[in-house]
Amino acid sequence: MTVSVLKTLFSQRMLVCVFTGFSSGLPLYLLHNLVQVWLKTEGLSLRAIGAFVLAQLPYALKFLWAPLLDCYALPWLGRRRGWMVVFHILLLGVIAWMGRLSLKEELLWLVILTTGVAFLSASLDVVLDAFRRNLLPDVEQEMGNTIHVNAYKMASLVPGSLALVLSGWLSWPQVFLITALFMLPGLLMTLLVSEPRASLRAPRSLREAVVEPFYELLSRYGRKATITLFSFILLYKLGDSLCTSLATAFYMEMGYSPEHIGLVAKHASLWPSVVGGMLGGMLMMKVGVNRALWIFGVLQAVAILGFAKLAHLGTAPVDATRLWLLAGVSGFEALGAGLGTAAVVSFLARTTHPAYVATQFALLSSLPAIPRIFFNASAGWLVEDLGLGWTNFFFICFVLALPGMLLLFKVAPWNGSPPASPSVGGPSSSF
């Protein structure tokens, strides 16, 4: 590791990326893990739990209101940081409120609050992504985005491990309150850092904020290449995302308790993801984003087969061997998924124009959420009602991971150049 890489790794900008990733990941993992366990322990069916994924629709639609967040600044702390403070505070309050609901009597309110968490979290993602893109120079994008994604994964320890363990000792309102308080570090970071100079220029009009980001992207790539780009972003994470959509419920059906999941699966999935992610960030700096998308995409797809193996073994008493198997399957999946996410986020960051980063990044990063939400909502139906069973379900997930890989031949060929940032390299090629 060179001195320059070490200097970059331990810089203040990278520390900020830790906090942006943690604040971005915690609400989503709360919806994926903690709410899922809560619903499962209350006796809801897999179909109903899967349908709750539809409450995450704001993640797919955030590009609709991203121009408003880009165009209009609040009268304090700057163009990005003002919104960051508001969304941190609102998320803390809504998450704490959610745990006070009675699922038997207030299920509708849970749907409303779950959707509210998704909306606030997606909105926070818009300003965090723009803040990070403005903060990092182009040479630090890969490392910064890798650290952001690693911290995003680390956030899963709170709702996916700590909260699950605490649920055996504390009431649900207490568990959700403790989880909500972990939004405070990101809020404190927002209050302490300065607004990046690149974010000071706001769009002069709503038209400039809404129309010009889309026009610039289309004119830079051309219609055909833009469709190819969008298709790749839609499909690259599809198989992995669908595979893990009901992972917690799957583990419970295989005989693992919430404590097993919290102490074994979540920890085993976190640390390979963090260590591998750091090595992946350095590898991206060495081999480039294009080759990283290929290498990490293969790992991401192969990891799905581990779930198929675990499902094939079926339900059995949980012994040391099955705990090691749980750790291995969840750890390998997290490694592949984390690396794939880091590579695609770096790819997206290079694709955006710094002048329109909030809207363009929101549009591009919302695309993977579209199939994730609608396909994942059908996961319980595929497993339970259609009768596929878990093993066949995971094989379908593996097949769905392949189209995105095939599009790499057009979008990011092995020996091709990565997208050139408009700030330094002029317009990108049209693939």
Side-chain angles (χ1 to χ4, degrees):
M1 190 185 302
T2 65
V3 175
S4 62
V5 173
L6 282 173
K7 186 177 179 180
T8 299
L9 183 59
F10 293 102
S11 67
Q12 183 180 359
R13 288 189 294 271
M14 297 301 122
L15 180 61
V16 171
C17 291
V18 173
F19 287 98
T20 64
F22 194 90
S23 290
S24 182
L26 187 132
L28 180 62
Y29 282 111
L30 175 129
L31 300 178
H32 278 185
N33 299 136
L34 185 56
V35 171
Q36 194 174 122
V37 170
W38 189 23
L39 297 175
K40 185 70 175 176
T41 57
E42 293 293 325
L44 270 73
S45 67
L46 284 179
R47 181 172 57 183
I49 295 173
F52 258 85
V53 177
L54 292 174
Q56 300 174 29
L57 190 60
Y59 286 105
L61 301 177
K62 61 184 178 181
F63 66 92
L64 295 177
W65 61 88
L68 299 176
L69 300 177
D70 199 25
C71 189
Y72 299 110
L74 297 175
W76 57 77
L77 296 177
R79 184 176 165 211
R80 309 294 186 203
R81 293 166 61 234
W83 288 115
M84 287 160 63
V85 166
V86 168
F87 292 135
H88 273 94
I89 293 174
L90 289 176
L91 278 166
L92 194 158
V94 174
I95 292 171
W97 182 14
M98 183 185 297
R100 303 183 65 84
L101 298 177
S102 169
L103 290 187
K104 294 181 180 179
E105 300 175 1
E106 300 175 296
L107 190 60
L108 178 60
W109 269 108
L110 179 60
V111 173
I112 294 172
L113 292 187
T114 301
T115 306
V117 168
F119 172 79
L120 294 171
S121 177
S123 301
L124 179 61
D125 285 350
V126 170
V127 289
L128 287 177
D129 288 339
F131 179 84
R132 192 177 70 256
R133 179 65 176 91
N134 292 147
L135 176 72
L136 299 174
D138 289 315
V139 294
E140 296 181 6
Q141 286 294 327
E142 280 77 14
M143 182 62 73
N145 286 314
T146 299
I147 290 176
H148 172 87
V149 171
N150 280 337
Y152 191 100
K153 286 282 186 179
M154 288 183 67
S156 69
L157 271 184
V158 178
S161 180
L162 175 64
L164 298 188
V165 174
L166 291 178
S167 68
W169 301 87
L170 303 175
S171 66
W172 284 113
Q174 292 172 315
V175 170
F176 275 84
L177 174 60
I178 292 171
T179 304
L181 291 175
F182 278 90
M183 294 302 298
L184 288 176
L187 175 61
L188 183 61
M189 177 275 295
T190 303
L191 296 172
L192 292 177
V193 299
S194 301
E195 188 81 5
R197 290 175 60 91
S199 70
L200 297 179
R201 179 194 175 275
R204 292 184 294 269
S205 65
L206 192 57
R207 180 189 182 281
E208 183 178 336
V210 175
V211 178
E212 292 189 13
F214 299 98
Y215 177 78
E216 190 281 332
L217 190 66
L218 183 62
S219 62
R220 178 156 39 103
Y221 283 103
R223 184 175 61 181
K224 183 178 179 181
T226 301
I227 293 174
T228 304
L229 172 67
F230 283 13
S231 299
F232 163 72
I233 299 171
L234 279 165
L235 297 175
Y236 184 72
K237 297 284 296 178
L238 175 58
D240 168 72
S241 176
L242 182 60
C243 165
T244 56
S245 60
L246 292 177
T248 304
F250 164 67
Y251 294 147
M252 294 178 73
E253 289 210 350
M254 293 299 104
Y256 297 102
S257 68
E259 289 78 11
H260 290 142
I261 299 168
L263 292 174
V264 178
K266 300 307 176 184
H267 282 276
S269 64
L270 175 66
W271 303 116
S273 176
V274 171
V275 175
M278 295 305 300
L279 296 175
M282 288 181 271
L283 180 62
M284 273 194 284
M285 295 179 71
K286 182 73 174 177
V287 305
V289 176
N290 284 24
R291 294 185 179 185
L293 286 167
W294 283 92
I295 297 169
F296 301 160
V298 169
L299 291 175
Q300 183 177 259
V302 171
I304 298 173
L305 299 178
F307 282 85
K309 175 64 175 178
L310 188 61
H312 179 70
L313 294 175
T315 304
V318 178
D319 54 16
T321 301
R322 286 183 62 84
L323 287 176
W324 277 108
L325 182 61
L326 174 65
V329 169
S330 57
F332 187 41
E333 186 281 328
L335 173 63
L339 291 172
T341 299
V344 79
V345 168
S346 294
F347 179 85
L348 297 185
R350 284 184 168 271
T351 302
T352 59
H353 193 293
Y356 310 110
V357 62
T359 301
Q360 288 186 352
F361 210 118
L363 170 65
L364 296 175
S365 62
S366 68
L367 291 175
I370 296 173
R372 183 185 76 205
I373 291 170
F374 290 103
F375 275 82
N376 291 7
S378 69
W381 176 78
L382 290 172
V383 174
E384 201 169 56
D385 294 346
L386 196 60
L388 287 178
W390 287 110
T391 304
N392 291 330
F393 169 73
F394 290 125
F395 279 126
I396 290 175
C397 293
F398 175 76
V399 172
L400 290 175
L402 301 180
M405 291 295 298
L406 293 175
L407 285 171
L408 286 173
F409 284 104
K410 293 289 292 181
V411 174
W414 179 264
N415 290 320
S417 300
S421 171
S423 64
V424 294
S428 301
S429 67
S430 297
F431 308 142

